[in-house]
Amino acid sequence: MRTLLTFLGRRASTAAAVNQNPSLLQRCFLSSSSSPNNKLFVGGLSWSLDEKSLKEAFSSYGEVTEVTIVYDKDSGRSRGFGFVNFSREDDAKSAKDAMDGKALMGRPLRISFALERVRGGHVIVPRLPGIGDGGNRS
């Protein structure tokens, strides 16, 4: 019971803090490291797309250093998303701006900058009042 009360208290204080300082919400989702983000998340990939084709599709925007398509460990089939790393952050931004929403092998791509993968830590997602809680409650 004490854990639940602690959780609810933290959630309420986080929501209040976000209301007072909206930039707090942005900081919660940005990487704390100051290193440039050269890695793009690419969603909406065709199951038949391979790494070579994905690299060719993005290489006109700059030097692609690594391409990874994520595969299901049981079936071996593509999970429909992957990552493209560029040597420069500007090239990654150009590729994101140009390719987001464009079709590749008949499927529209969803592209965003990849978030750092955090292992072993808790993920805290602040919630704004009235969003995702079933509406305003009195």
Side-chain angles (χ1 to χ4, degrees):
M1 183 66 159
R2 176 180 245 182
T3 305
L4 178 60
L5 291 175
T6 302
F7 169 77
L8 292 174
R10 286 182 183 161
R11 182 172 177 192
S13 65
T14 300
V18 168
N19 283 339
Q20 292 173 358
N21 186 2
S23 67
L24 177 64
L25 183 63
Q26 183 180 17
R27 286 195 305 258
C28 289
F29 292 103
L30 295 178
S31 168
S32 60
S33 80
S34 60
S35 64
N37 192 351
N38 303 346
K39 188 175 193 175
L40 296 177
F41 166 84
V42 183
L45 298 177
S46 168
W47 290 339
S48 59
L49 186 74
D50 61 4
E51 280 89 354
K52 181 181 178 194
S53 300
L54 186 58
K55 183 174 184 175
E56 288 172 0
F58 281 85
S59 62
S60 63
Y61 301 100
E63 181 186 353
V64 176
T65 57
E66 182 180 4
V67 172
T68 305
I69 294 178
V70 179
Y71 294 93
D72 182 80
K73 63 182 176 184
D74 296 326
S75 69
R77 186 173 72 173
S78 168
R79 294 187 59 198
F81 69 92
F83 299 92
V84 177
N85 289 42
F86 285 87
S87 60
R88 295 175 1 125
E89 185 176 15
D90 292 342
D91 296 340
K93 183 175 178 0
S94 296
K96 177 191 174 302
D97 293 343
M99 295 289 286
D100 191 27
K102 299 285 173 143
L104 181 62
M105 294 184 69
R107 295 186 48 107
L109 299 177
R110 296 179 323 272
I111 301 175
S112 61
F113 283 101
L115 300 175
E116 285 187 35
R117 188 173 186 178
V118 178
R119 293 180 183 249
H122 295 287
V123 177
I124 299 172
V125 180
R127 302 197 190 274
L128 298 174
I131 298 176
D133 63 0
N136 294 333
R137 297 180 193 170
S138 303

